[in-house]
Amino acid sequence: MTPTPTATLVARDWAEIQERMLVPLYEAVYDRLEVGPGDRLLDLDCGAGLPLLLAAGRGAVATGVEADPARRALARERLLEVLAAPPEPPAPPRPYDALLAFSPAPAALDAALPAVRRGGAVVLADWGPAERCTVPSVLGGGPAPRDLDALVERAGLRPDGSGRVFCPFGYADVDSAVRGLLSTGLYDAADAADGTADPVLAEKELAEALHPFERSDGAVWLPNIFRYVIARVD
């Protein structure tokens, strides 16, 4: 499937503006797992591939899964290995040591678990407490954070720790903030609640909602806490 021009622009906004906002989360998880040379990682919803690049910088071999063709194309431009869907059973000749699933969909998680070795780590992450996350409130309430512990239990995994990471979303100006936030897809559901979507209206409403978070220099600052859990495959 060839990405549409609009989809390509949104994917580039994600790659150029938004994906770096989650670097503190990626780095905290990699530190916790002690990711290093020889480790094999599988990352669900890897976007344009930044988490794969960070893992490769530590010497790991990382493979991504990204359903969106435009983001997948950008990741492949970075010479990364990115699949359109989780690898199908049987498991690869050498199973993965860790599976990263930030904001995981249960079906995708189920499909990817067979590729992880016994004892391997599974990391799930999502928004933290609502009162500690600015972005969902700016977006009109936003999606409720997933119950990560329930996902671990549902998947038959063994809990092995958790943590919280401060991930502020900082932008040079309101225009950059609007482009970055719209690239997340979080605002789509709010705008399309009546079954329609008006991109111009969405941009206008989001820009207005961001004004209280503008600083004197025009920058926009949105503090957030993300939570992650680590589980093991028995």
Side-chain angles (χ1 to χ4, degrees):
M1 179 184 296
T2 302
T4 65
T6 298
T8 299
L9 288 175
V10 171
R12 289 203 175 276
D13 283 343
W14 171 265
E16 295 172 4
I17 300 173
Q18 190 62 36
E19 68 176 346
R20 65 176 180 269
M21 307 300 175
L22 295 178
V23 166
L25 175 61
Y26 302 141
E27 295 287 17
V29 167
Y30 292 162
D31 286 345
R32 184 76 175 262
L33 295 181
E34 298 183 343
V35 170
D39 290 332
R40 284 171 47 83
L41 277 64
L42 181 64
D43 183 12
L44 297 183
D45 298 323
C46 70
L50 181 58
L52 308 183
L53 290 174
L54 294 175
R58 294 169 175 251
V61 177
T63 298
V65 177
E66 177 53 57
D68 179 71
R71 297 190 188 193
R72 191 166 64 245
L74 289 178
R76 288 174 174 170
E77 285 179 11
R78 292 169 163 175
L79 304 181
L80 300 169
E81 181 183 6
V82 181
L83 310 174
E88 297 182 0
R94 183 187 164 192
Y96 294 98
D97 300 299
L99 171 66
L100 310 179
F102 301 116
S103 296
L109 179 61
D110 291 344
L113 282 176
V116 183
R117 67 172 175 82
R118 188 171 185 178
V122 177
V123 183
L124 312 179
D126 211 324
W127 298 100
E131 66 275 11
R132 303 290 302 279
C133 294
T134 307
V135 168
S137 64
V138 169
L139 301 177
R146 291 175 174 84
D147 186 337
L148 301 178
D149 300 299
L151 279 174
V152 167
E153 182 178 0
R154 174 189 172 278
L157 302 169
R158 172 169 48 88
D160 191 31
S162 64
R164 292 184 178 185
V165 183
F166 181 53
C167 289
F169 288 12
Y171 307 91
D173 50 41
V174 170
D175 179 66
S176 295
V178 168
R179 289 169 54 201
L181 290 171
L182 288 179
S183 77
T184 67
L186 291 173
Y187 199 72
D188 296 351
D191 184 51
D194 61 353
T196 62
D198 183 342
V200 175
L201 180 61
E203 291 178 13
K204 179 181 177 181
E205 291 182 344
L206 186 52
E208 291 176 353
L210 289 171
H211 284 313
F213 303 95
E214 279 188 87
R215 294 185 165 184
S216 59
D217 61 356
V220 175
W221 186 254
L222 302 168
N224 304 287
I225 295 289
F226 280 77
R227 179 174 183 258
Y228 69 87
V229 299
I230 298 175
R232 298 284 172 178
V233 177
D234 286 330

